[in-house]
Amino acid sequence: MSSIKVEPYVPDEDYDNPAMVTDFYEFSMANCLFEHGYKDTVMVFDMFYRENPDQQGYAISCGQDKLVKFLLNYHFNEKDLIWLRSKGMSQGFCDYLRGYRWHGDLYTLREGTICYPQVPMVRVECDMAGAILIETYLLQTMNFHSLIATKATKISGLSTHRSRNVMEFGTRRAQGESAGNDGAYAAILGGCIGTANCLAEMKYGSEVKAVGTIAHSFIEFFPSEYEAFEKYADTYPENVSLLLDTYNILESGLPNLIKLDDALIRKYPDDPNRRVKSARIDSGDLARNYKKLRKALDAAGKHYVKLVASNALNEKKMDDMEIYEGAKFDAYGVGENLITSASSPVFGGVYKLVAVKLPDGTYQPKMKCSDSASKAVIPGKLMAWRVFDDDGKGQCDIVSMDDEVIRPHEPITLVNLDPDAFDHMKTIVPNHVEKILLPHIVGGKLAIELPDIQAKKDYIREQLQNRVWESELRPEMPHKHYVDLTQKVADCREQMYEMLHGGNL
């Protein structure tokens, strides 16, 4: 038997094509299905998750814009095809991918939408290759952006209606360059006012504002702390922000700040903009030092100097300082606990086959079966709806088949997805209901106007303030948002589970 000769692939550390951010098994499956004649078979996949980060009552769905742009530019280069041939993919499959463009349908929640477990965040309907090969990039993008945006709403105080001025300082602790850039973007959506990451502002614009002043090394470089402060003020007289804890906060940093500000007053007596604007502390007992600094600065007539805290902060530490110790800093710099969502570092979104389109145009439901009926995938081509109560707050989410229509003021019988619910079935008459799974790409073409960053920030804030029950936002033991199935979906799921469970195929 003669061996197949393929062109050798030469590794290139600088090569980058996002379409190749793909787990190898996706290519193995797609190649096999292609070889067996399923090239044009249309598949439907849903992306959803099972638990909110940090056991909280909600999550923020983010990453849609990046996913849309990825799919609109989806392609394979000759270098990709040479590598795929070297890994055993067929010549026919590689020839097919050479001219491949993504031409499916992408339905997702609008970027920034509050979301809940089991409700589809993304629905993909595409030919076999376009449905299978995008799994890894889709999950990586949606999981990470959603994770950081959700964490940012907690740290920035949006979720508790106590907004803070938080700057994202975590790029140096992020898991790589892309995590630093994408994390900065997601953190801004979640309520942060700036980022230390310069490239993030260059990529996303002034809404993702790069901020920062000086480090301890700058102060250590000069013969004295005061000289370091003075040189910085000479260079940036309208943006004087100092770091006080290089040597001693109260015995050195504070006296030198006051000395410098007095010198600025003498030098620029008629320009109140040329004063010390803020001072940051990065160590010690932050709350205790805040109160001492605030008292001393106010006594010196320097009430305009704002105080900034950093040093391994998270939402709990900031809550403790503000609520129990009366130390509410004017701003915070938060690093690793935000950019890695350290307390809950994985957003567990999954991507599951839920239907295959048949030649007659109907959809055959598909279901990953589990040892527990409550964990079985919801099969079928699905749609997601949100019902709002009389106060405009989300009352429940409904998962229906795509061909079902839920209308206001018409009774509908629902099956509670929670197996522990006391009322397994209920009938409601919704006053207001919205379809929340929206077309973003249809037939490979952009089908929605993508909002700008400010609009996304406003959208997230408005939902948390006005569209979510406050009981879902409390940090401890939050209310579990109701997720219900239509009778049609529940019957399909139950029948498929009975048929498939135990391997009786």
Side-chain angles (χ1 to χ4, degrees), residues 62 144-150 152 181-192 204 460:
C62 284
F144 183 70
H145 283 76
S146 299
L147 179 72
I148 303 306
T150 303
N181 296 329
D182 291 346
Y185 163 84
I188 294 293
L189 295 190
C192 290
Y204 303 113
I460 293 172

Side-chain angles (χ1 to χ4, degrees), residues 46-89:
D46 280 348
M47 183 238 168
F48 62 94
Y49 69 103
R50 295 188 175 96
E51 294 182 0
N52 290 318
D54 283 317
Q55 297 182 323
Q56 296 296 289
Y58 73 95
I60 305 290
S61 174
C62 284
Q64 287 87 339
D65 281 15
K66 185 172 183 179
L67 177 61
V68 165
K69 292 169 185 175
F70 164 75
L71 294 176
L72 293 177
N73 191 44
Y74 191 77
H75 68 281
F76 294 95
N77 299 320
E78 202 62 34
K79 197 174 188 70
D80 308 325
L81 304 178
I82 292 171
W83 182 81
L84 288 169
R85 283 290 286 135
S86 76
K87 297 292 288 185
M89 303 299 110

Side-chain angles (χ1 to χ4, degrees), residues 23-34:
D23 288 337
F24 186 70
Y25 82 146
E26 293 158 29
F27 280 116
S28 297
M29 292 187 294
N31 182 69
C32 178
L33 290 171
F34 178 91

Side-chain angles (χ1 to χ4, degrees), residues 201-457:
E201 180 175 338
M202 294 177 69
K203 287 169 68 71
Y204 303 113
S206 59
E207 289 295 338
V208 187
K209 183 180 179 181
V211 296
T213 54
I214 56 178
H216 296 298
S217 59
F218 178 87
I219 295 170
E220 293 167 16
F221 174 81
F222 291 93
S224 70
E225 183 178 59
Y226 182 76
E227 188 174 349
F229 288 178
E230 186 178 43
K231 289 291 190 293
Y232 193 82
D234 285 344
T235 307
Y236 307 106
E238 296 182 352
N239 188 29
V240 182
S241 183
L242 306 177
L243 181 62
L244 300 187
D245 65 324
T246 302
Y247 302 120
N248 188 292
I249 294 172
L250 299 172
E251 296 180 11
S252 177
L254 174 63
N256 282 324
L257 180 156
I258 292 173
K259 180 181 177 181
L260 175 68
D261 196 59
D262 288 343
L264 291 172
I265 292 172
R266 291 192 297 272
K267 187 174 183 180
Y268 307 107
D270 300 321
D271 190 351
N273 193 42
R274 297 193 172 195
R275 303 287 185 266
V276 174
K277 296 287 181 62
S278 63
R280 177 167 66 96
I281 55 176
D282 188 53
S283 59
D285 187 326
L286 297 177
R288 183 168 177 267
N289 284 319
Y290 166 86
K291 288 185 279 190
K292 289 187 175 183
L293 285 170
R294 186 74 274 158
K295 182 177 180 180
L297 289 168
D298 290 349
K302 303 188 184 302
H303 54 275
Y304 48 82
V305 177
K306 298 185 182 301
L307 294 178
V308 182
S310 54
N311 187 25
L313 293 171
N314 58 32
E315 64 269 35
K316 189 175 187 307
K317 290 180 182 179
M318 290 185 282
D319 281 345
D320 288 347
M321 287 194 296
E322 293 172 358
I323 297 171
Y324 302 113
E325 299 185 77
K328 184 172 174 54
F329 283 85
D330 298 288
Y332 301 88
V334 183
E336 68 265 25
N337 287 317
L338 172 53
I339 201 68
T340 67
S341 185
S343 60
S344 183
V346 176
F347 194 94
V350 295
Y351 184 75
K352 299 297 183 183
L353 178 68
V354 293
V356 172
K357 190 174 184 179
L358 300 178
D360 65 0
T362 62
Y363 292 85
Q364 181 182 43
K366 296 290 182 179
M367 181 183 194
K368 180 257 181 184
C369 210
S370 173
D371 290 339
S372 169
S374 64
K375 293 185 179 180
V377 167
I378 304 172
K381 183 178 177 181
L382 306 175
M383 178 48 65
W385 308 74
R386 185 156 296 162
V387 177
F388 295 89
D389 63 18
D390 292 339
D391 295 324
K393 298 185 185 296
Q395 179 180 357
C396 69
D397 282 12
I398 299 174
V399 180
S400 73
M401 290 298 183
D402 188 58
D403 59 1
E404 294 185 278
V405 178
I406 299 173
R407 296 182 177 89
H409 312 300
E410 293 186 6
I412 180 171
T413 298
L414 302 173
V415 178
N416 197 318
L417 189 57
D418 184 353
D420 297 326
F422 181 76
D423 295 320
H424 186 57
M425 297 185 67
K426 59 187 176 183
T427 299
I428 66 170
V429 181
N431 286 333
H432 179 67
V433 61
E434 294 179 7
K435 186 182 288 189
I436 58 174
L437 204 56
L438 305 176
H440 281 56
I441 298 176
V442 175
K445 305 294 184 182
L446 185 65
I448 193 171
E449 183 177 349
L450 300 176
D452 61 26
I453 289 175
Q454 186 60 51
K456 297 173 198 173
K457 291 175 60 178

